[in-house]
Amino acid sequence: MFITRESDYAMRVVRALMGETRLSVSDICGREAITAPFAYKILKKLQNAGIVQGYRGVHGGYALKKDPAELTLYDIYTAIDSDMSIIECLNGRCECVRNGQNGVPCHAHDELKNIQDELWTMLRRKSMQDLFGKDAE
């Protein structure tokens, strides 16, 4: 898994929305140095994941739909990139051709699976409120 620029920017979008009732895309972009086209793409994915709520009209914009105390980096990153595997053979869509070949397990596969599980645990251990709560006050 590579934490992409898009995933990093998604975390920034959430950070910008924390403590706000609603922000326009231009406000989000200004606060977090993100281009508008990129922000719209990210906001669409975050909206589809139920993390943000979009509002139309003159007073439109975006707001957090999920409580920052219950939202983690894992939630944000998987909303942007549903395939967060550190190696292709762990993503569930690809079978490891070396694991179990001729009855011999791939010990690297097993170790990488353990590392991936630990990484996911670490990304879930702190909420966005834990990370940025003081910044939003």
Side-chain angles (χ1 to χ4, degrees), residues 64-118:
L64 281 180
K65 189 173 182 179
K66 272 194 160 178
D67 182 348
E70 297 180 14
L71 185 61
T72 66
L73 288 171
Y74 178 85
D75 300 323
I76 296 166
Y77 292 165
T78 56
I80 300 303
D81 183 9
S82 60
D83 174 24
M84 271 200 7
S85 301
I86 61 172
I87 190 168
E88 187 178 35
C89 67
L90 294 177
N91 71 14
R93 289 180 281 155
C94 174
E95 190 171 324
C96 180
V97 297
R98 299 304 234 179
N99 194 22
Q101 184 180 18
N102 299 325
V104 178
C106 175
H107 298 293
H109 178 93
D110 296 340
E111 181 63 13
L112 290 169
K113 174 74 171 107
N114 291 336
I115 292 168
Q116 178 172 289
D117 291 345
E118 185 64 28

Side-chain angles (χ1 to χ4, degrees), residues 2 23 44 48-49 85 110 115 118-119 133:
F2 182 71
L23 286 178
K44 178 76 169 165
N48 288 341
S85 301
D110 296 340
I115 292 168
E118 185 64 28
L119 175 61

Side-chain angles (χ1 to χ4, degrees), residues 53-65:
Q53 173 77 41
Y55 298 92
R56 295 177 182 236
V58 175
H59 300 290
Y62 291 86
L64 281 180
K65 189 173 182 179

